[in-house]
Amino acid sequence: MNELLKIDNLNISFQSSGSDLKTLKDFSINLKERESLGIVGESGSGKTLSMLALTRLLPKQARITSGSIIFRNKILNNLLNKNFYKEISGNKISMIFQEPMTALNPVHTIGKQLLDTYLYHNDVSFEKGVLRALEILDAVQLSKNKQRMEQYPHQLSGGQRQRVMIALALINNPDLLIADEPTTALDVTVQKEIIQLISKLRETIGMALIFISHDLGVVSQISDNIIVMKDGEIVEKGSTSKVLNKPEHIYTQKLLNCLHKLENDQKKEKLKNSPIISARDISKVYKLPAKIFKKPEIIHAVKNVSFDVKTGETLAIVGESGSGKSTVAKIINGLIVKDNGEVKIKGQDVEDISLSRRAKLIQPVFQDPYSTLNPIHTIGYIISRPLVINDNLSNHNIKTKVIEILELVGLSEEYYNRFPNQLSGGQRQRVAIARAIILKPQILICDEPTSALDVTIQSQILDLLNDLKQKLKITIILISHDISVVKYFSDRIIVMYNGQIVETGNSEDIINNPKETYTKKLMSSVFSLKQKNQILRDNFT
Amino acid sequence: MIFKIFLKRLFPRSFDNDIYSLPPKDLIIRKSSNHAGFKFGLTLLLIIFLFAIFGPIILDVSPYEQDLTKRLLPPVWKDGGSWEYIFGTDGNGRDYFARILYGTRISLTIGFGAACVGMIIGVTLGVCAGYFGGWVDQIVSYLLTCQLALPGLLLAMTIVFLIGPSITVVIFVIGATHWAFFLVVSRSATQRIKNLDYVTAANAIGASKFQIITRDIIPNTVSQIIVIFTLEVGIAILNEASLSFLGVGIQPPTPSWGLLIAEGKEAIFFQPWLIILPGIALFILVVSINMMGDGLRDITDPNSKVSDK
């Protein structure tokens, strides 16, 4: 096969206040026609930057210091911008971005955006352009393609928008498609469909693919070769099976360990304790503000949900975004007032418990490490605050307790006077956990505690939670959309969809023998390293 | 540079090499030493304050003493000017430099006083409206609409006219007609902050509503309120000048800059310095306050990075 793309020793540095920061070091790849290459790395590892350099979309402060990019025996570095955008970008090389919500222009119809891209690069009549646009919308399996041409981006769902993005990228039959985390912002069930679609289109069109992702599981499904990046350097490259089975670099091994650990089952004891929380028929309705001549719109966030949580167990609530799982968590915690039903913690209605007693019973940990800590307070103040509010202790006692807890969550004493903005995402999440456990609560509600973190840090936080669970005997309610995290961690699972409970049961039963169709769909959307090539098989059956 | 050396003497700990282990106070000092606009504005404002406090004591010239034989003397750099009257004299033969110095006191008092009054009204209403929402928000929004619909200067004139002019009355009237910005900014900031996870977390650890408002919400709106505050100090000073110019603010013979301009307007073609000099004084004061305000916003913003240049 012929060589399509060759990048040689590409170096990129960021200029900031006089000093150059090297963010990409000696990046070299070779890509053959029709080959698919996966690039894996944490955020900040330079994986997106390398591709932005290829498509000339680098931010202003970034500069290519050395290296060459050769596409079809043509050196791209010296090409004038005008010729580059006319001949290469959007025509021979196209790109799909992570956020389908922001990548489409909201004021133009889908049809206009498709036609603009097509007619700019091809000298054909408007009618032919329309035909081509309909054809490509059909190819990305978007139903009712004639209607879609007239629609605006906000009328489509996230998955549909990503399909339009793919159509936009493919309308000129490119030789190379770059997909930058195309599925990260989508729900798991949609994620699988999009990856299958990209994989199928690659076969039919016969283009090369560069797939960027932080998720090794996803990348291993779709690519022939894999590159692993860390801190702007390629640490490992090779065929997919080689990287997965015989990783050479320590970082790759660590990454794989994290994934394998999540896949292996832990030994779980069956608990036969009394329920600590019992929720009966809880409902919550959100009303959108009424408009003139229109009835106020009502959204059922949670509808008649009932369940028990036993003392000492870990219960997981699983579902897509918008399924009401976070609302349930906040209702149990007493942070949202429910409309109907009752929640009893230790036999007492959660809304009747005094603030201070509730604080010592149940504590939340949130998803976003950046908004979970008040930026104007020091870490010491943030962690000590529950004690200051609820207990009468001397300042000295409080400080020693805070430092004890800091050490328990794996941070040293020197963090006491730091501010949240001086901490990394993983460290912030540790502080949030420290704040939640300092009152020694009996229940911890973790709302997607790891989904905003990188894979290696994700596994550290899960280890920490596991450790705390054993040491402090806490009951944990874990909310997640990530089945592998849930599988690793929980004793029992509740599956939610559209504000209702679809299925409940022990975690092994739910994961191995799901009964409801939605649960089956959810479980089959998990990408694991074992079921390789499943996507291709699915396509041909 | 001098500023930095001065700060290094005063707070040696703030200049440790390891910026990440600095306590909060030192971090702010460290940041302020690197902000050119803030340093310039603060220095200028300090000089103006020193002039306002000590100038009249040292100078020992009365701004009220009239000498009709020395009417309308030009300032020292003009032909016929002398060092005895640096800025010349006004139509009643009073020393113009002394009058402007005394005017600084009045302008500063009224500017900061009125902005404080406005801030207390606006932030209280804004934070309550943003945090509680519902009917509280509706009432406050109604008040805001009324306030915005009223012509501020006209209202101020009417009230001062009815109560009778004095510095206290002018401060409260200007403050009471200038809280709309504070309200809008603090209300929208509160609405944004109250949905953040750290407020929910504070709720979960048992903090009361009052604690959440004073510890989590207001401190995080401070950097935005400071900018509005400095803006309003400038506006209040100009407002006082307009009121005095129209004759319902500070009453003669008290020297206020607006009054000086009003008194000088008859001589605008022949003795223009009578208007230009208090005008320049107003300009310098307002610019220095605004520069300092912008600097304070950058310094108190916890997300801005510490940099050494």
Side-chain angles (χ1 to χ4, degrees), chain A residues 241-256:
Chain A
S241 58
K242 198 203 126 226
V243 172
L244 290 185
N245 298 323
K246 286 178 195 155
E248 279 161 12
H249 196 269
I250 304 166
Y251 177 69
T252 321
Q253 289 163 0
K254 207 167 126 194
L255 211 62
L256 282 166

Side-chain angles (χ1 to χ4, degrees), chain A residues 22-27 44-46 229-234:
Chain A
K22 264 199 165 185
T23 42
L24 197 67
K25 292 165 213 153
D26 297 329
F27 182 83
S45 62
M229 292 188 70
K230 187 175 195 313
D231 297 332
E233 274 176 289
I234 296 179

Side-chain angles (χ1 to χ4, degrees), chain A residues 29-63:
Chain A
I29 53 169
N30 286 306
L31 193 69
K32 295 192 181 96
E33 303 254 5
R34 289 165 171 260
E35 188 189 325
S36 83
L37 174 76
I39 304 182
V40 188
E42 305 190 337
S43 51
S45 62
K47 54 190 196 302
T48 302
L49 207 63
S50 60
M51 291 302 115
L52 291 180
L54 177 57
T55 47
R56 296 206 181 173
L57 294 168
L58 281 177
K60 267 185 187 160
Q61 307 92 313
R63 205 162 43 89

Side-chain angles (χ1 to χ4, degrees), chain B residues 281-297:
Chain B
L282 258 180
F283 172 77
I284 293 174
L285 177 59
V286 175
V287 163
S288 70
I289 290 170
N290 284 349
M291 284 185 85
M292 194 192 68
D294 278 353
L296 270 178
R297 178 195 52 200

Side-chain angles (χ1 to χ4, degrees), chain A residues 487-526:
Chain A
K487 189 180 165 192
Y488 170 68
F489 210 59
S490 62
D491 305 319
R492 236 159 31 96
I493 295 181
I494 289 177
V495 183
M496 281 190 75
Y497 183 66
N498 267 346
Q500 283 171 312
I501 292 183
V502 181
E503 198 168 346
T504 332
N506 290 332
S507 53
E508 288 121 59
D509 296 347
I510 296 249
I511 288 164
N512 300 327
N513 319 303
K515 290 188 184 73
E516 303 292 322
T517 38
Y518 177 73
T519 323
K520 281 179 189 163
K521 201 175 154 197
L522 199 67
M523 294 307 150
S524 70
S525 62
V526 183

